[in-house]
Amino acid sequence: MSGKSTKRKPRLAATMMMAVIGASLFLLFLSRDLPDGLSDDWAKENIGLVVRYVIAMTLGGAIMGYLLASMFGRPSWGGWVIAFFGGLISTLVAGAFGSFIGLLPDLLADGWQSTDLVSILFGFLVLPLAAAENTASTLIWLAMVFAAHLLSRYEHNQAGKRV
């Protein structure tokens, strides 16, 4: 097999896990800000906006997972540390990417406004705000990053056995 095909599955594992993390963090904020969740009046009236941002945060997480996939799945304790920092960087930047992707329809319709930059930069704060709000969300995030690392490690091992 070629080197390209042996790297595809570990990259896919990191991409998918970071996409799930991106969507999960947005849904966590939605549940925090709207105690009734999707049955809240605001959410009912703006379900299109909610769906747009779930998709945008999922795409933001997927993009960052794809770009930083090489930080996941490395062997030894150093691999765990690198995966932690890869998850941290991915999550921080994915929030900004997700905010940008979510705002894109508005940017295309209305043009660039200075308040748009504030909204995009706020995306960097998704993880720190989630961590400050709830310790359980931090533990869930950490478990998901480690799951991305373990899945990538598994795929690296499987690819090595096939070669």
Side-chain angles (χ1 to χ4, degrees):
M1 271 190 194
S2 70
K4 183 179 178 183
S5 63
T6 60
K7 292 181 181 180
R8 185 172 291 144
K9 285 192 177 182
R11 183 171 299 276
L12 179 63
T15 300
M16 297 304 290
M17 286 303 296
M18 292 311 298
V20 169
I21 289 172
S24 299
L25 287 175
F26 177 75
L27 292 172
L28 174 71
F29 276 109
L30 183 68
S31 69
R32 185 197 73 189
D33 291 342
L34 303 174
D36 294 330
L38 293 177
S39 57
D40 189 276
D41 288 338
W42 183 90
K44 285 179 183 175
E45 291 175 22
N46 296 294
I47 192 71
L49 186 63
V50 170
V51 169
R52 180 198 323 174
Y53 272 93
V54 169
I55 292 169
M57 290 299 185
T58 302
L59 287 172
I63 290 166
M64 288 311 299
Y66 181 83
L67 293 175
L68 297 179
S70 63
M71 296 182 82
F72 297 95
R74 294 174 182 232
S76 77
W77 286 105
W80 287 98
V81 172
I82 292 169
F84 171 78
F85 284 110
L88 184 64
I89 294 166
S90 291
T91 304
L92 291 173
V93 179
F97 273 2
S99 293
F100 174 73
I101 294 168
L103 277 174
L104 199 55
D106 297 329
L107 292 173
L108 294 174
D110 302 336
W112 179 262
Q113 299 169 18
S114 59
T115 57
D116 295 331
L117 182 60
V118 173
S119 298
I120 292 168
L121 292 177
F122 180 76
F124 281 111
L125 300 176
V126 170
L127 177 63
L129 290 175
E133 178 70 23
N134 187 345
T135 306
S137 64
T138 304
L139 296 175
I140 292 168
W141 171 83
L142 192 58
M144 292 174 80
V145 168
F146 286 161
H149 176 66
L150 288 173
L151 268 165
S152 294
R153 182 80 230 135
Y154 175 78
E155 292 297 339
H156 278 293
N157 288 340
Q158 291 300 104
K161 289 178 185 176
R162 284 185 241 140
V163 176

